Structures are given as structure tokens and as C-alpha cells.
Amino acid sequence: MHAVIVGAGIAGLAAAQGLRLIGSDVDVYEQSVRLEPLGAGLSLSANALRALRALQLYDGVVAKAQPMRRLDLLDQWGKVLQTTDLQQVSRRYGHLAMAVLHRGDLHQALLSKLPEGTIRTGMKCVGAREAGDRVVLDFANGDAVEADFVLACDGIHSVVRKALFAQSHESFARYTCWRAISPGLPRGVDRAQLTETWGAGKRFGLAAIPGDRIYWFACRGAEITDDPALAGIELDDLKAIFADFHEPIPEVLERTPPTSLIRTDILDLDPMRSFTRGKTVLLGDAAHAVTPDLGQGAGLAIEDAAVLCALMARLPIENALREYDARRVGRARLITIKSRLYARVAQWHNPLVVPLRNFFVSNIPQHFMDRQLDAILDIAFDPIRTAA
């Protein structure tokens, strides 16, 4: 069976590795002319790390990542509101609970497992249609490619999804986010601690990544996408916006090269009823883009690849796709809803309400937090039956 993957992002590369393991013939079509280490940082939690093991990608990825021992939620003055002991989570699960790395390093680790010639660059997909029991993909250069099976991994604005899945709908999360990499580690920063600081209508998160660098993100509420006032914000403006936040946030901003700043309006997808149609299947953000609030975007994409390929190794394609839907649609809906709830609470901006929010968050019982964490992270994956 000839499988075509549209998109060489995290979902596409993880799926290509899984298909390679089970002996499928696969080609990946990527719109970028060159595969470059773009983006800032990201976190991979226990669920994603388990999926990487199933895909035989764990060692290469973790070698490029910073393991995390502690996750702290702080107020803008640095007072701890809530702590997650990731070492304890690691002991409970029997393996690493979280790691943080540069998105480009993750991409390179996934890419390194694929044979030369697997990926065709400069191939922008502009349309998709069904032709009998096959799928035809149209590309901007005029090429048309027929496939027995298509994996749409082309992101939240997926051309394949919009062509074949009419029910999908993108939603604005009402905030915008800046990300960057800052060189050097400020004095006192714990390499194994990830922090997120909540203010009134604004947030700041940071974590160390290999190479003595800090990955950071900053969020601020927005009423519309492409707001000119927010689009015009530069690094000096962010320094002023977060000047009243605790150290080392001002220092991290001061160290950041202005050219490294990336701004994104945060969108997600309304939960879909199915990720499959005929011989086409959606993975990653093309299926279930979520807000980054729970750090699960990359993790869900890797999960998709591990689940789909394990099913395809032992079931006829039609049965595998039905089971994929059964396992993934509800899971994605859960993460979407939880991420949206987290974002709404985290972005509260009324100065009269923020102290109440912080008090409530700081008094949530630990056993309740453990249950919430397990619902997201404690997921098992079938082993992938590799080809002889």
C-alpha cells in the first residue's frame, strides 16, 4: 500500500517513522522548500514520551531535551500558587514525566530516522479529492498525486481537511502569544524547573533547554485576530508589559535577541466527530489543534502516529481507521475542553477577580490535581508490530 503524508511537521514525521516500522511505502510532501530548525521551544509530557517509545524515537529525542523535575505556577511577584513534583510523577509512572527542548531539535530527531528521499520539499498542497477508492492531491506546481491512503498532517489550516471534512471549524482563543529563545541562564535558574507566572490578563512561562538557553513564552488577551496594536508589539514593548513581573523574567527579556521573537494568535479547532473519511485520515493539528495551555499539541500529534501505526500493523485498513476514530476523537475532545478552560482562567484580567483566582488555585487539593494530571498523561500505547 502506498501512503502519502501531507506535511513534514511533528505529526507527519512521527507518522512516517511509524509507517516505515510496519513496512509501508510512504512519501511525505512538504510545502517548505527547505527543512529548517524553526520555532522556539516545547514540552513533551509522559504521554508523548510513551508514544515516542512505541515509535522507537524516544532515545534520539530525549538526548536533545532537558528533563524537568518540577513545574511551578506563580503569581506575578513570584509566590508559588501550585507545584507539581515531576520527580514524584516519574516514580509513579516508572519513567520520565516531562522534557523540554527546541522545536527544531525535535524536528531533527524525527527527521534523522527517515531514509533519504522520503520527503519531497517545495510541494504545497492546494486541494484534495476522492477518485473511487483512491485520493488525489493537487499541488501548487501543477502536479497531481494519487494515493491509496492519505495522512493529512498539514496543520490547523489543513487544505486536506477543508476539502474533505466540511464540519471543521477554527476558533480564536482570545489571546495572543509571543515566543523566543534567550541565550544564557540567569543566576539562580533551576535547569530542571518549568515556571508559569500569572498576572492580570497576561502570563509568562520559561524553561531551560540544552545549550544554556531559556525558552520562554508570553501571553496577553486579545479581542480579535491580527489586532494591529498587538501585531506591532516588539521586544521593548514586552519588557515594559512585564516589567512588574518577578525576576528572572525581566532579565530573560533583556537577554533575548529581538530577531528571535515569534508572535502567534492562538487558535484551536472545535472538536470534530471523526478524523477519517474513506482512505484519508487526519493527524495532529489538522485533526485537533488545541491551545498550548496544557502543553499537549505536539504530544497529541505523536500519540496519533503511535496509535494509528500500531492499528495498521494488525488490522485491515478500514478496521484500523474505525478503531483510530474510536480511540482518538474522545481523547482529543477531552484535551481541547481542558485546554480551553485553563486558558479562560489563566487569562482573567479583572484586578478584583485575579486575587480570588490565585487563592482558589493555591488551595486545590493535591489528590484532585493528581487525578487531573493522570487523565491527561497516563495513557498506554499498543506495541507497534514491526515488519519482518
Side-chain angles (χ1 to χ4, degrees), residues 141-385:
N141 64 358
D143 286 359
V145 175
E146 281 195 23
D148 301 315
F149 181 46
V150 169
L151 293 80
C153 304
D154 49 341
I156 186 171
H157 305 301
S158 169
V159 169
V160 178
R161 187 190 70 242
K162 290 177 180 179
L164 299 177
F165 296 77
Q167 78 274 26
S168 65
H169 180 258
E170 298 165 15
S171 179
F172 178 43
R174 298 175 69 87
Y175 72 93
T176 196
C177 185
W178 295 265
R179 300 177 178 89
I181 302 296
S182 171
L185 297 180
R187 182 177 298 177
V189 166
D190 182 348
R191 293 175 184 269
Q193 179 189 27
L194 189 156
T195 66
E196 181 171 330
T197 300
W198 287 4
K202 54 186 180 179
R203 289 180 279 161
F204 198 100
L206 59 85
I209 60 174
D212 288 338
R213 298 173 292 173
I214 294 288
Y215 157 58
W216 63 261
F217 64 87
C219 304
R220 193 174 187 187
E223 294 302 316
I224 58 172
T225 58
D226 300 315
D227 185 330
L230 294 175
I233 285 179
E234 297 182 353
L235 187 61
D236 285 342
D237 302 306
L238 289 176
K239 292 176 185 177
I241 291 168
F242 291 96
D244 58 348
F245 272 37
H246 63 83
E247 289 290 354
I249 291 170
E251 182 180 349
V252 167
L253 287 170
E254 195 62 43
R255 291 170 177 257
T256 302
T259 54
S260 72
L261 198 62
I262 301 168
R263 188 190 76 87
T264 311
D265 286 327
I266 301 301
L267 307 175
D268 69 4
L269 280 180
D270 289 343
M272 295 176 62
R273 289 190 292 271
S274 175
F275 299 150
T276 66
R277 171 171 167 161
K279 295 293 184 65
T280 301
V281 59
L282 306 176
L283 291 85
D285 282 356
H288 44 61
V290 296
T291 69
D293 299 277
L294 298 180
Q296 287 298 315
L300 285 177
I302 298 166
E303 284 185 25
D304 288 345
V307 170
L308 179 64
C309 294
L311 292 170
M312 289 179 62
R314 63 180 179 83
L315 295 174
I317 184 65
E318 293 83 1
N319 295 352
L321 293 180
R322 279 197 297 271
E323 184 63 20
Y324 175 80
D325 251 356
R327 297 190 184 192
R328 301 307 297 160
V329 170
R331 166 80 172 158
R333 179 183 293 272
L334 172 73
I335 303 300
T336 300
I337 291 170
K338 286 182 176 291
S339 294
R340 285 178 172 180
L341 177 60
Y342 186 104
R344 290 192 190 103
V345 174
Q347 288 298 134
W348 282 356
H349 62 273
N350 187 327
L352 299 178
V353 175
V354 165
L356 295 176
R357 174 199 67 188
N358 292 353
F359 175 80
F360 172 75
V361 168
S362 64
N363 284 279
I364 297 176
Q366 188 59 50
H367 65 84
F368 177 82
M369 291 305 303
D370 288 344
R371 285 203 305 271
Q372 296 299 307
L373 199 65
D374 287 347
I376 297 169
L377 305 186
D378 194 11
I379 175 172
F381 298 93
D382 296 336
I384 296 175
R385 187 183 303 163

Side-chain angles (χ1 to χ4, degrees), residues 22-45:
I22 65 175
S24 291
D25 177 26
V26 58
D27 290 309
V28 182
Y29 290 80
E30 164 57 36
Q31 66 177 348
S32 299
V33 176
R34 290 185 302 275
L35 297 176
E36 298 178 326
L38 303 175
L42 55 81
S43 62
L44 296 173
S45 298

Side-chain angles (χ1 to χ4, degrees), residues 91-105:
R91 288 192 293 270
R92 195 161 78 239
Y93 291 169
H95 58 80
L96 183 63
M98 181 180 288
V100 180
L101 73 167
H102 194 289
R103 180 177 288 270
D105 289 337

